[in-house]
Amino acid sequence: MDFYSLVIIAIALSLDAFGVAISIGINKGVKRNSKLIFAASFGFFQFFFTLLGAYAGFLFNTYVVAIPKIIGGVIIALVGVLMIKEGFEEKEDNIFSSFKMYIILGISVSIDAAVVGFTVFNKINSNYIIAAQSIFVGIVTFIISVLAFIISKYLRKLELVTKYADYVGGVILILFGLKMMFF
């Protein structure tokens, strides 16, 4: 695979993480350290699932093409519903401050990377190239997630966005989940 194709694949895989990062970033209760952990989680799981998919691709190529998108979509949509529910409740705790949320969201935005590993990266014969390209996908996802958090910082300055951040973020996550499941 040439470098141009790899960049396109890495950017395409990171767009779900970008959308989720925007949704998380507009929430005032999420601290900078949490945002970095989310970005690292998104990048790590994109790398890990791409690598895992590449190595397991020859076994699952015909069986697991649609299922990961459905599972990831359901998880992201459920987090969106939780975010909207949190918007109705006035409490100090933030759903994004728990360790398991880093893992859950990291996995859910990265399941499609396993599909790419299953279908594209499994045709590569060199373990070094598979590892290098998987690391590249993870780094691109991390950078794009950090950019999304930076953009969300400016979106938060808009009073309307801040007032309805949980609702807007929840709706965005639900739409991403539906997109993953049906399109």
Side-chain angles (χ1 to χ4, degrees):
M1 170 184 328
D2 63 2
F3 184 71
Y4 177 75
S5 298
L6 179 63
V7 169
I8 297 298
I9 288 172
I11 290 171
L13 286 173
S14 66
L15 290 180
D16 287 342
F18 178 84
V20 173
I22 289 281
S23 299
I24 293 169
I26 61 176
N27 188 316
K28 277 187 175 180
V30 181
K31 305 290 183 221
R32 180 181 293 167
N33 287 344
S34 293
K35 292 175 186 177
L36 283 174
I37 293 171
F38 272 115
S41 172
F42 295 162
F44 171 76
F45 282 109
Q46 287 283 16
F47 150 74
F48 181 69
F49 277 88
T50 303
L51 187 66
L52 183 67
Y55 286 122
F58 65 93
L59 296 175
F60 299 105
N61 221 359
T62 56
Y63 302 111
V64 191
V65 173
I67 294 172
K69 289 186 177 194
I70 294 169
I71 293 169
V74 168
I75 291 170
I76 288 177
L78 286 174
V79 171
V81 169
L82 288 173
M83 199 170 171
I84 290 172
K85 179 182 166 245
E86 184 179 279
F88 287 112
E89 300 171 358
E90 294 294 326
K91 60 181 188 174
E92 294 293 316
D93 291 343
N94 189 314
I95 65 168
F96 296 116
S97 61
S98 92
F99 177 75
K100 63 183 171 186
M101 195 57 70
Y102 300 129
I103 303 298
I104 290 169
L105 285 176
I107 289 172
S108 66
V109 300
S110 302
I111 291 176
D112 56 344
V115 175
V116 169
F118 286 140
T119 57
V120 178
F121 285 27
N122 72 339
K123 296 176 178 105
I124 300 170
N125 294 327
S126 168
N127 288 337
Y128 171 76
I129 293 173
I130 291 172
Q133 290 182 351
S134 298
I135 290 169
F136 182 79
V137 168
I139 290 170
V140 167
T141 301
F142 174 78
I143 291 169
I144 287 182
S145 298
V146 169
L147 289 173
F149 285 124
I150 292 169
I151 291 168
S152 67
K153 181 174 124 179
Y154 295 104
L155 286 175
R156 242 191 335 212
K157 291 182 180 181
L158 301 172
E159 187 175 326
L160 184 67
V161 172
T162 304
K163 185 175 180 182
Y164 297 106
D166 286 333
Y167 307 113
V168 171
V171 168
I172 290 171
L173 290 178
I174 290 170
L175 292 175
F176 270 118
L178 292 173
K179 178 195 84 67
M180 284 179 72
M181 288 186 282
F182 299 114
F183 301 105

